Amino acid sequence: MSLIATLARVDADLAAGRVPMARQRLRGLVSSFPDDLGLRRRLAEVYRLYGEPAEAGRWMYLEEDRDADETAAFEARYRTPQERMRALAWHGPESLAGSRFAAEQLAAVRTACSDALGRPVDWDWDSASFAPEPEEGKLVGFLAGAGCLVVALAMLGIWVYGLIALLD
């Protein structure tokens, strides 16, 4: 279905009071056209109908005329740069942003995420790229092994105590 046809269905859904269906269609459009700031704005409007300021702030985050309270709610819900980067659902270079402000916002989020992870990231991420680096070290392995040993000894002690009580 084309963009125009889907937007016509969104308008029909909203006119008929089918807000969840309109939201679902707009989420699909934003997923297909992540660089279309107009679609993001429309999705934010639908979330305002739900009374969801964090989600409205999420989809208006790249707009200069965004609401400060909605932006604060978005940043409170998605606390880390990695969470914000995932939530913005942007793909491709920042140069595709429709405005200078949006490109600056995207660059700021990506830079903060790179700093937090200690390595460069880009917008064409996969879910594994934000995973923390695995902790390696003898102390961690030793503590895990010691914990398992303590639990095994405790279980053995309970079993022996139960066996003695049974034979008594």
Side-chain angles (χ1 to χ4, degrees):
M1 186 179 306
S2 73
L3 173 64
I4 294 170
T6 305
L7 286 174
R9 285 191 169 192
V10 166
D11 291 336
D13 289 334
L14 290 173
R18 296 186 302 262
V19 179
M21 183 55 74
R23 182 197 63 183
Q24 182 178 353
R25 289 183 202 281
L26 284 169
R27 290 287 305 259
L29 286 174
V30 169
S31 177
S32 297
F33 303 98
D35 57 339
D36 189 329
L37 299 180
L39 292 175
R40 290 172 176 266
R41 179 179 292 273
R42 290 204 56 191
L43 185 54
E45 292 168 3
V46 169
Y47 275 109
R48 283 188 197 105
L49 294 174
Y50 275 109
E52 285 277 346
E55 289 301 308
R58 172 185 181 183
W59 300 111
M60 284 294 290
Y61 197 73
L62 303 178
E63 297 287 348
E64 196 164 7
D65 64 340
R66 64 192 184 180
D67 180 87
D69 291 334
E70 290 175 350
T71 300
F74 165 71
E75 291 174 342
R77 180 174 290 173
Y78 301 95
R79 296 180 191 277
T80 68
Q82 298 94 311
E83 290 173 332
R84 288 185 191 143
M85 195 165 175
R86 250 191 221 115
L88 288 174
W90 185 267
H91 293 284
E94 291 137 8
S95 61
L96 293 177
S99 70
R100 190 180 68 122
F101 181 82
E104 290 171 356
Q105 287 297 108
L106 290 167
V109 170
R110 182 185 44 77
T111 300
C113 187
S114 293
D115 291 346
L117 292 174
R119 58 187 159 84
V121 295
D122 63 22
W123 287 101
D124 292 323
W125 51 269
D126 60 1
S127 59
S129 68
F130 291 144
E133 296 293 330
E135 268 195 54
E136 295 179 4
K138 294 181 181 178
L139 180 62
V140 172
F142 172 77
L143 291 176
C148 289
L149 180 62
V150 167
V151 168
L153 289 174
M155 294 300 293
L156 180 64
I158 292 170
W159 183 79
V160 168
Y161 180 77
L163 185 60
I164 292 170
L166 181 67
L167 295 176
D168 245 355

